[in-house]
Amino acid sequence: MKHLLLSASSVLALGVIATPLHAQTTDADTQPVAEESQGGIDDIVVTAQRRSESVQDVPIAISAFSGDQLQKQGVASTLELGRFVPNLVSMNNTGIGTANAFYLRGLGNTETIATFDPPVGTYVDDIYLSRQNSNNINLFDVERVEVMRGPQGTLFGRNTTGGAVNVILKQPKSQFGGYAEIGYGRFNKKVARASVDVPLSDSFAIKLSGYWQDDDGYAKNITTGQRVNDDDGWGVRLGLGGEMSPSVRWHGSYAHIVANGENLLNSQCSRADPDDCKGRFVSTGIPSGKTSATSPFATLPISGRKKTFLLGNYTTTDLVTSNFEVEVADKMTLNLITGYISQDQQYALDFYDGTSGPGLANPSPPYKGYARGGFSILTDGQHEQFSQEIKLNGSFADGLIDFVAGAFYLVEENRTDFADTFTLSPTTTLVLADRILRNKTEALAGYAQIDVNVTDSLKLTGGIRYTYETKTLAVHDNRASCNDGFTEATCLETGNLVGNIVPTNPTAPVARVPNKISAKLWTPRFAINYDVNRDILLFASATRGFKSGGWNARATSVNAFLPFGPEKVWSYEAGIKSDWFDRRFRANLTFFYTEVSDLQTPSALVSPTGSVTFITRNFADMRNKGAEAEFTLVPVEGLNLYANIGYQDAKYKIDRDAPEYDEYGIQAVWAQQIACQNAIAAGYVPAGPKAPACGAGIVRPDGSIAHPTRTPTWTIATGASYELPLGTNGMSLVPSVNVSYRTHQETAAANFTIYSGQSSSSEVDGPYPGNAFGGEILNGSYSPSAVFVNANLALNGADKKWQLSVACTNCFNETAANTSLVNTRYIDAPMTWMARARYNF
């Protein structure tokens, strides 16, 4: 079906190009763009409800940025959106610099393996990106970005329980033009970007755009002498579009993107020389590069080409989009939206930085520089996705009813060949697991939303989506002992996957792990809008969303490869959108209350052997409530001020009536909490080896329930820009600044942080040189409050034909962490600067 639909779309595209083109007033420029307000705030037209509307008319909590705004604020990638959007925390995944993990209102996922789905969906031109392996999108030719907060399950579908990031690329223009830009920055960073629009007729045009970037990396590897944590890559995009007839339009594009970027564990001071704190340092002994026959992993019993990998992360993405739009009747439009994504990823990453993992007994592991790293993962993955959507938009009954309805189909196939290694000494490396994972997702959905315009001011909205999806999985163990004609029970094979013995019923059969899971779910939406006047909108809504279940594919043993169920959300919102003083001041305010059932929580902890244990379960429910405010002020022409504020109060909700153990032998959170408290009462050091129930899952080291990760109470972004005319020749100087602040947050599920200072001594356990309760932060989950400053200064030529600019990111070199893994804190990138020259033609 996938190949048939893709072939049909290709034939239609070729037919469109060959069709006689008609010169009409509607051409390739019909994509919504920012409307210029005379002397006030620019109004951005968005498609958050799958139709074109002013952002101020949409009863959804949404932050929208035009391409010009992104350029002025120095936003070069989707990663940087977290410093502008209320209650959004964004970070690179541990190790993988090409992957973003977005947390909106406390909902997010840091996993990139294909059995996990992110709860904040990323879309490019209405095409959903299932994998977040390479969703750190370079914003080199973007019309606008929409960040929708809260579940979008009715119109955007599965896996949007937290929200959606919708990237809309620029479409070809009917006039010849474009731009070219070059830049140079810190760490020898070089960038080049360009785009050109070429009209082929009065109503059909093409756009060719691309970018290239290269840098040395901001961290020095003290073992190999190389520089790492670079952000290299290039991409090209061919866009086509125009009007085929008075009632038929088409836009399509092909993009090829190559990215090479790491987010390796690094420190402010050198492990080899703690007095050297000038820069960022990495100590893994794995040499950087792509592949080599002399890779340090080549002599290990690892199968496939991944044993030749060197330190690095490489992704290649091909994205094809097609959107046919047909006016089927008066005020009624049909869209056929087709997307195809092919993505390859190869990486070798060391998550222990060439040494052992930190713990209470060894809070600051000494420099080792192991040639195969400390805990390393080698991954060779191929991911392919096809989607087809049919969408009908329109109104009838003299404008009484507006509607959008459609059907959606998606199929995704993944093959992941990966191995985990753990190094004990310069000569001893354990291969913890080496397996091939194949999994497939097939989803079918139908949706409809109806708006009833009861009066000119009052609108009632009702929407519903039905989704049916099936996921299948197969795993094969690559180890020689599992491929000698006899498959041992310990081999990671599909038929071997089982749970654990249930301690309360040890004679019961051990539950087997299914290789197929299905979900059938309705996700409704209800809303009411009231226009007080043309500048003030009041709204309230109730929306449901869900995120697919999956498997804990990071497991290295057959009884840890367990399934987890879907995550379901109800979100209730009320808000106001308003413009004041002839649109000189904009104030948008949203209050929300979110109830999450069966929250999917990835967790990782250090096992007694020092290696890593991964577990993901539906540990608990979660409740989050809060408010979001966005203010914009244009007091005089050219001066723009803004303040975006987010507040949230999140907490887990534990089922105290759940069985002590589930069917797979996993202890309930309440039972684990009691076990931890009993261990503390017996005199054992919390989170020590004799108190394994403490500091694991979502139970803190002190036996209390953890705080949800990446839910800082306050997120605040403020900024200003001013266009200062220089004489009468049309030149101008534009300084701008952004200051973002967030309060402290936790970055690991169990809130386990290692502090300086000896842990409590007792007769039965300890003491240890580290403790889990207070002192100087050495490693782990707790991330103090942080302030980041970005600034930009641009000189514009006459009619903005050219521009010279210089910008800094994290200008005061603030050090903070948004993520962690197995007791290690991953600190954000240091200060960077960039000088650019741009010419528009």
Side-chain angles (χ1 to χ4, degrees), residues 105 150-151 541-545 569-573 592-595:
R105 297 179 179 176
S541 66
T543 309
R544 195 185 193 201
V569 175
W570 268 106
S571 179
Y572 308 93
E573 295 184 1
F592 68 89
Y593 184 92
T594 302
E595 291 182 330

Side-chain angles (χ1 to χ4, degrees), residues 582-604:
D582 196 23
R583 296 183 64 180
R584 293 280 183 178
F585 177 63
R586 174 168 293 173
N588 295 341
L589 181 64
T590 305
F591 299 91
F592 68 89
Y593 184 92
T594 302
E595 291 182 330
V596 185
S597 301
D598 300 318
L599 178 71
Q600 297 172 9
T601 308
S603 177

Side-chain angles (χ1 to χ4, degrees), residues 811-831:
C811 300
F812 295 103
N813 208 27
E814 175 80 356
T815 301
N818 279 325
T819 190
S820 60
L821 180 69
V822 289
N823 301 346
T824 58
R825 301 172 70 234
Y826 279 70
I827 54 179
D828 290 346
M831 185 276 289

Side-chain angles (χ1 to χ4, degrees), residues 221 223-224 226 228 283-289 295-297 309-312 348-350 354 369-378 421:
N221 190 326
T223 303
T224 67
Q226 298 169 302
V228 295
S283 64
T284 180
I286 307 174
S288 298
S295 164
F297 302 101
F309 288 178
L310 300 174
L311 186 70
L349 298 171
D350 178 9
Y370 291 141
R372 298 188 184 112
F375 170 64
S376 300
I377 298 180
L378 316 174
T421 69

Side-chain angles (χ1 to χ4, degrees), residues 165-356:
V165 177
N166 193 21
V167 179
I168 308 298
L169 302 178
K170 287 185 177 180
Q171 299 296 348
K173 295 182 178 180
S174 57
Q175 300 86 28
F176 178 83
Y179 76 92
E181 178 183 277
I182 57 172
Y184 181 80
R186 193 182 184 196
F187 307 116
N188 197 29
K189 185 162 188 174
K190 302 170 286 290
V191 299
R193 305 181 183 193
S195 178
V196 60
D197 296 295
V198 181
L200 301 181
S201 73
D202 290 341
S203 64
F204 193 85
I206 64 172
K207 172 186 282 289
L208 182 63
S209 53
Y211 76 96
W212 171 84
Q213 63 186 41
D214 180 84
D215 67 86
D216 293 341
Y218 65 78
K220 178 182 179 181
N221 190 326
I222 61 174
T223 303
T224 67
Q226 298 169 302
R227 297 199 67 87
V228 295
N229 281 356
D230 53 345
D231 184 16
D232 301 338
W234 61 274
V236 293
R237 174 177 178 258
L238 174 65
L240 306 94
E243 189 172 80
M244 308 299 103
S245 73
S247 60
V248 180
R249 289 173 291 276
W250 176 74
H251 288 105
S253 69
Y254 166 71
H256 179 78
I257 300 171
V258 176
N260 168 25
E262 310 93 34
N263 179 30
L264 297 172
L265 182 65
N266 64 96
S267 57
Q268 292 175 278
C269 299
S270 168
R271 287 181 185 268
D273 181 8
D275 293 329
D276 183 0
C277 299
K278 296 181 180 179
R280 294 291 181 85
F281 301 91
V282 169
S283 64
T284 180
I286 307 174
S288 298
K290 194 166 186 180
T291 62
S292 172
T294 60
S295 164
F297 302 101
T299 57
L300 294 178
I302 295 175
S303 69
R305 63 180 180 178
K306 63 183 182 292
K307 70 188 303 177
T308 67
F309 288 178
L310 300 174
L311 186 70
N313 166 57
Y314 299 85
T315 64
T316 301
T317 303
D318 291 290
L319 171 63
V320 180
T321 68
S322 172
N323 189 335
F324 279 93
E325 184 174 279
V326 182
E327 294 179 12
V328 295
D330 184 36
K331 297 183 179 180
M332 197 170 298
T333 304
L334 177 71
N335 289 85
L336 303 177
I337 305 169
T338 308
Y340 172 77
I341 303 171
S342 175
Q343 186 177 94
D344 293 339
Q345 182 177 39
Q346 292 86 39
Y347 66 75
L349 298 171
D350 178 9
F351 296 91
Y352 270 178
D353 194 24
T355 185
S356 57

